[in-house]
Amino acid sequence: MIRDPLKDLPGYALRRVSVAFMSRLAARLVRLHLRPTEATVLLVIQDNPGVKQSEIGRLLGVVSANMAPLVARLADRNLIIRQAVDGRSQGLTLSEAGRRTAQKARGIMDDHEADLIAHIPKADCAAFVRVLHTLANQKDN
Amino acid sequence: MIRDPLKDLPGYALRRVSVAFMSRLAARLVRLHLRPTEATVLLVIQDNPGVKQSEIGRLLGVVSANMAPLVARLADRNLIIRQAVDGRSQGLTLSEAGRRTAQKARGIMDDHEADLIAHIPKADCAAFVRVLHTLANQKDN
DNA sequence: TCAAAATGCTATACGCTATAGTTATTGTAG
DNA sequence: CTACAATAACTATAGCGTATAGCATTTTGA
């Protein structure tokens, strides 16, 4: 057995857990031909009809350069509808197909979150979630 | 303010925290011209002189196809030395320069981990670390 | 001894991230 | 009202970590 110098680094464990978690989520979403980020964008639009893609980007921490092709893909698949709200920005809404897909995506993501929770010892779960939210809501750059 | 349907998903928070954490680590390591994975590989070699790259890959969860160019880069920079242990595998050791770099990398990573810990409310820190290790050591694929 | 496993490798692709730079529109301060 | 700054959407490009497929060689073990 070889020594593991990263054994005791919480940050490294965080990274490993996140990667594994994300890859499982991606595997579940292939059924809908959605990438994880695409799915999250669909959910945001579902909850905020008429939202602008720049607003979604700010919320999710996705720069506009990456929002553009992402939104274009969803529009090309007729999952969302773009309607100009003024000369430079468009409001995004789910199409009928988009609503169905978003609903399924929500189910998948909820299941996936439930799986995560299920693997956490009950006694520590609340603290764990609390810390994650603390860290996530820190203006960490 | 727009609604955030991901607000209450711990898994999503996990992902965001991990990404932010990694990007800060990467920023700190540019000084050594090391990527995060390269730094972790250096540390593993430092702690396990003569280790084979296949062993490192298994430990860190990096497939051999990705270990090959990674190790080649470190060797090209004369940070590590490859010595054949048999016809197909090589033992990896740090060079003098590699030892210096690994030492600095360890310092950076320790500081980085300390920063993470510092941002966690003390009361929940132990539980948080416990959960991370639980999740990390689950056979999650 | 011979087939299976292991090792290192190339080529290639995907997903998320980022920066730089463009065009057009809107907002605002003088 | 004009000039300048900010906003929005976008293209092009790149870096990093991840993955699969396939290959040549060597070692192992039934």
Side-chain angles (χ1 to χ4, degrees):
Chain A
M1 204 44 188
I2 90 179
R3 250 200 84 196
D4 184 357
L6 310 151
K7 205 79 181 174
D8 299 316
L9 306 186
Y12 184 71
L14 175 72
R15 168 180 168 190
R16 292 292 297 269
V17 170
S18 171
V19 167
F21 182 77
M22 281 304 295
S23 111
R24 281 194 304 262
L25 175 58
R28 296 198 201 213
L29 286 170
V30 289
R31 191 161 60 77
L32 302 181
H33 307 288
L34 287 178
R35 306 172 184 179
T37 3
E38 290 171 343
T40 63
V41 166
L42 275 191
L43 294 205
V44 173
I45 297 173
Q46 189 183 37
D47 276 25
N48 301 275
V51 70
K52 291 183 291 180
Q53 75 185 54
S54 57
E55 296 175 310
I56 303 176
R58 271 189 294 275
L59 180 70
L60 302 181
V62 178
V63 298
S64 72
N66 299 324
M67 283 300 300
L70 195 161
V71 166
R73 279 193 304 272
L74 296 177
D76 286 351
R77 291 172 58 186
N78 298 309
L79 295 175
I80 65 176
I81 298 161
R82 290 191 269 204
Q83 277 168 317
V85 331
D86 65 28
R88 60 186 166 179
S89 44
Q90 305 152 9
L92 305 182
T93 321
L94 293 186
S95 68
E96 186 49 40
R99 262 186 292 276
R100 282 192 299 270
T101 302
Q103 209 46 48
K104 290 179 197 163
R106 197 176 287 266
I108 287 177
M109 292 180 70
D110 286 348
D111 286 356
H112 192 238
E113 293 281 341
D115 278 5
L116 177 68
I117 300 295
H119 285 74
I120 299 177
K122 287 214 174 40
D124 291 333
C125 190
F128 180 70
V129 171
R130 205 156 42 222
V131 170
L132 277 183
H133 284 122
T134 305
L135 293 174
N137 295 323
Q138 236 144 353
K139 63 193 70 322
D140 21 58
N141 70 9
Chain B
M1 204 44 186
I2 91 178
R3 250 200 85 195
D4 184 357
L6 310 151
K7 205 77 183 175
D8 299 316
L9 306 186
Y12 183 71
L14 175 72
R15 167 182 169 188
R16 292 291 298 269
V17 169
S18 171
V19 168
F21 182 79
M22 282 303 296
S23 110
R24 280 193 306 261
L25 175 59
R28 296 199 202 213
L29 286 171
V30 289
R31 192 161 59 77
L32 302 182
H33 307 288
L34 286 178
R35 306 173 184 180
T37 7
E38 290 171 344
T40 62
V41 166
L42 275 190
L43 295 204
V44 172
I45 298 173
Q46 190 183 37
D47 277 23
N48 301 277
V51 70
K52 291 184 291 181
Q53 76 183 55
S54 57
E55 296 175 310
I56 304 177
R58 270 189 295 274
L59 181 69
L60 302 180
V62 178
V63 298
S64 72
N66 299 323
M67 283 299 299
L70 195 162
V71 166
R73 278 194 303 272
L74 296 177
D76 286 351
R77 291 171 59 186
N78 298 310
L79 295 176
I80 65 176
I81 298 161
R82 290 191 268 203
Q83 277 169 317
V85 329
D86 65 27
R88 62 185 166 178
S89 46
Q90 306 151 10
L92 304 182
T93 321
L94 294 186
S95 69
E96 185 50 38
R99 261 186 293 278
R100 283 193 299 270
T101 302
Q103 207 49 46
K104 290 178 196 163
R106 197 178 286 267
I108 287 176
M109 292 179 68
D110 286 348
D111 286 356
H112 193 237
E113 292 283 340
D115 277 7
L116 177 68
I117 299 295
H119 285 72
I120 300 177
K122 288 220 173 36
D124 291 333
C125 189
F128 181 69
V129 172
R130 206 158 40 224
V131 170
L132 278 182
H133 284 123
T134 304
L135 293 174
N137 296 323
Q138 237 144 352
K139 71 180 129 333
D140 22 60
N141 71 9

